[in-house]
Amino acid sequence: MVIKISRPLHRGAPAIRVTSSSNDLLDSQVKEQTEKEELDRNQSSHRSRHRLTMLLLKSSLVVIVILALTGSFWWTLSISTSSRGHIFHSSRRLQEQLVSDLWDIGELSFGTSRMKEIEFCPGELENYIPCFNVSENLDSGFSDGNEYDRVCRQGSRQNCLVLPPMNYKIPLRWPTGRDIIWVANVKITGQEVFTSGSLTKRMMMLEEEQISFRSASLMFDGVEDYSHQIAEMIGLRNESNFIQAGIRTILDIGCGYGSFGAHLFSEQILTICIANYESSGSQVQLTLERGLPAMIGSFSSKQLPYPSLSFDLLHCARCGIDWDKKDGTFLIEVDRVLRPGGYFVWTSPLINVQSSRRNKEKQKRWNFVRDFAENLCWELMSQQDETVVWKKTSKKTCYNSRKSGSGPSICSKVQDVEFPYYRPLQNCIGGMHSRRWVPIEERATWPSRSNLNRSELALYGLHLDELNEDTANYRIIVRNYWSLLSPLIFSDHPKRPGDEDPSPPYNMLRNVLDMNARYGGLNAALLEARKSVWVMNVVPTTGPKYLPLILDRGYFGVLHDWCEAFPTYPRTYDMVHAEGLLSLESSQHWRCTMVDIFTEIDRMLRPEGWIIIRDTALLIDSARVLTRRLKWEARVIEIESNNDERLLICQKPFFKRQPS
């Protein structure tokens, strides 16, 4: 891919609020009123002429479109079948040009009001997450934990730009930033720091303007010892052997502040944190601020937006979920997303044998979970102190050998949906009809897992040549992205006094959100280039469903509808990447506007973060116009090897909130 800069960077300016007051003398008001009336008459006449002009313009356009479509219909009838393939590409370009022209005329008809800059959100929305409104859910009758559910109400989104907190600072570079964050960047009180009950939540210290999770602290030794204990309970020497046991991806439920996953990151174990929405002291927000993988997710009433058989290990350390509630439905959801042969690790005071014997209620609850796990065909591998480890069966025959009427039934093919998107929780065992039922011990270990062979790819309807071509393309794309961004980043962020210039990859990115991930090619290329970065691979609900492929390659991913808000806090990602997303949404007749999608990108992106959009030239032109309204700094890059596509590279400015 050969690239060249075709248009210069344009810089957005912060919005300026202007106020005015009137101090005119009383004896001048009559004169001003006369002048105002005359001006109003002139403006009214001008507006009438403008409306008449626009009406004639629109009418002419409608006539042209009708004539064009009619002529196209008769012309198409006269074309032989063999010729139609040659004109398809040109026809598609004409359709896109027509869409672009209609867009431009629509902008013109609305006048300059449509082109004005998008307003900043009020200060109280600095942690704004659409679709998560606990008070509104309570008013609607939600209860029993369901008030934390994700509910995307029609018209609830506010298209405004979320400002950072008052004393926000750019996160520290990795690896330092993984262990130290700025207190002002997150919403948490000192009391929440010191009174948290979660094991991994307590692994931090408050130090003036910073919160420290340093591995050198005595507190952190608890996470290292805990990880070592889990490995031994599984039958391994230590946590560095997780990879050899087939463990690459972990879902950490109620993760505290991500210390368990941070510790395993150096072992090439990818741990994603999920937890309920919290308005303050959020586990997800603090984990993301450290640059670690996390997203808002709840077990209360909906299935998680992951396919069946997605993770090698699920972990819950005092995560706050009562696994014995709702007749074991929560455990059934754990079983659904857990791969055959995978592990469920649970740490809770409920497991402590001595404590449970003295408390009959605790004993009853523990007995229920233990018996239910057995009926799910989980093997209890080990139990030590407050921790227990189960292993999911690798054999389907186990389910048929259960006693009649014991445990949940197997889901029917209708119930067993491989791509659930916040569907209600099921009370039957899922994943049994999937062709992806492969025990983790039979899968290739990481990193060989990322390179699937021909027979494995056939499970996803994909040919080896397609994956190889995708991999080769992204190898070139990542190299070009890095060469483009490096001079921009170092020119905008000169080395601070006293700082050594860190060697790549620590000088650039911690995480990337890929909005249209396809096969996970960007993720694969970044890892191959030895970039110390993790990728949130998002598969749109409107596109091809390759999320199982991404997860089975050992990456992390999620299903999402981009006409809804992504379940994350503001200022989450260092870079957002979108290849072909605008084309995908335009093919769906724009179920939501480009403004909706771009304001959501702005919300998720940290100040001074980067956006790379690759799409057709016409859609990129429309997107570039919108970047002015978002106050983004933007430049368009031509791709000489493909005249139909363009790159749009943008940076989100750092707007500091002023005291009110």
Side-chain angles (χ1 to χ4, degrees), residues 142 145-146 148-152 274 297-305 326 329-330 333 336 420-426:
F142 289 77
N146 296 340
Y148 297 102
D149 272 0
R150 174 182 179 276
V151 181
C152 295
I274 63 165
S298 173
F299 269 82
S300 57
S301 64
K302 304 283 181 61
Q303 289 184 324
L304 298 171
K326 294 194 177 182
T329 307
F330 300 149
E333 178 65 0
R336 184 186 71 81
Y421 187 64
Y422 300 106
R423 294 172 71 243
L425 288 169
Q426 303 288 309

Side-chain angles (χ1 to χ4, degrees), residues 608-619:
E608 298 184 359
W610 296 87
I611 308 104
I612 299 180
I613 300 172
R614 178 170 176 163
D615 224 300
T616 64
L618 292 167
L619 288 170

Side-chain angles (χ1 to χ4, degrees), residues 203-334:
M203 306 297 174
M204 63 180 182
M205 297 178 294
L206 190 62
E207 300 176 350
E208 296 182 0
E209 295 183 335
Q210 299 175 335
I211 296 176
S212 174
F213 305 86
R214 285 189 183 277
S215 58
S217 71
L218 294 175
M219 285 180 142
F220 192 87
D221 291 340
V223 173
E224 191 169 351
D225 292 342
Y226 176 66
S227 304
H228 191 81
Q229 178 191 1
I230 291 173
E232 289 183 333
M233 292 174 72
I234 289 175
L236 306 173
R237 184 175 180 180
N238 53 49
E239 59 270 34
S240 63
N241 297 118
F242 276 157
I243 292 289
Q244 284 70 32
I247 299 171
R248 156 67 178 171
T249 54
I250 296 177
L251 184 65
D252 195 0
I253 307 162
C255 63
Y257 297 132
S259 293
F260 180 64
H263 173 62
L264 295 175
F265 196 87
S266 60
E267 304 292 346
Q268 298 188 59
I269 305 296
L270 189 60
T271 305
I272 177 76
C273 162
I274 63 165
N276 280 340
Y277 165 77
E278 298 165 287
S279 60
S280 180
S282 166
Q283 303 170 67
V284 171
Q285 187 181 38
L286 266 79
T287 302
L288 288 167
E289 187 62 27
R290 298 176 69 179
L292 298 166
M295 62 178 285
I296 302 170
S298 173
F299 269 82
S300 57
S301 64
K302 304 283 181 61
Q303 289 184 324
L304 298 171
Y306 315 123
S308 301
L309 319 178
S310 293
F311 298 96
D312 304 317
L313 186 149
L314 267 73
H315 174 251
C316 162
R318 298 187 181 182
C319 61
I321 295 178
D322 296 325
W323 298 108
D324 58 311
K325 301 298 184 185
K326 294 194 177 182
D327 300 322
T329 307
F330 300 149
L331 289 170
I332 294 174
E333 178 65 0
V334 169

Side-chain angles (χ1 to χ4, degrees), residues 419 460-462 466 518-519 539 543-551:
F419 305 100
Y460 317 98
L462 199 64
E466 293 177 278
R518 284 174 54 81
Y519 315 140
V539 174
K545 302 297 190 295
Y546 286 114
L547 182 55
L549 168 66
I550 291 171
L551 293 162

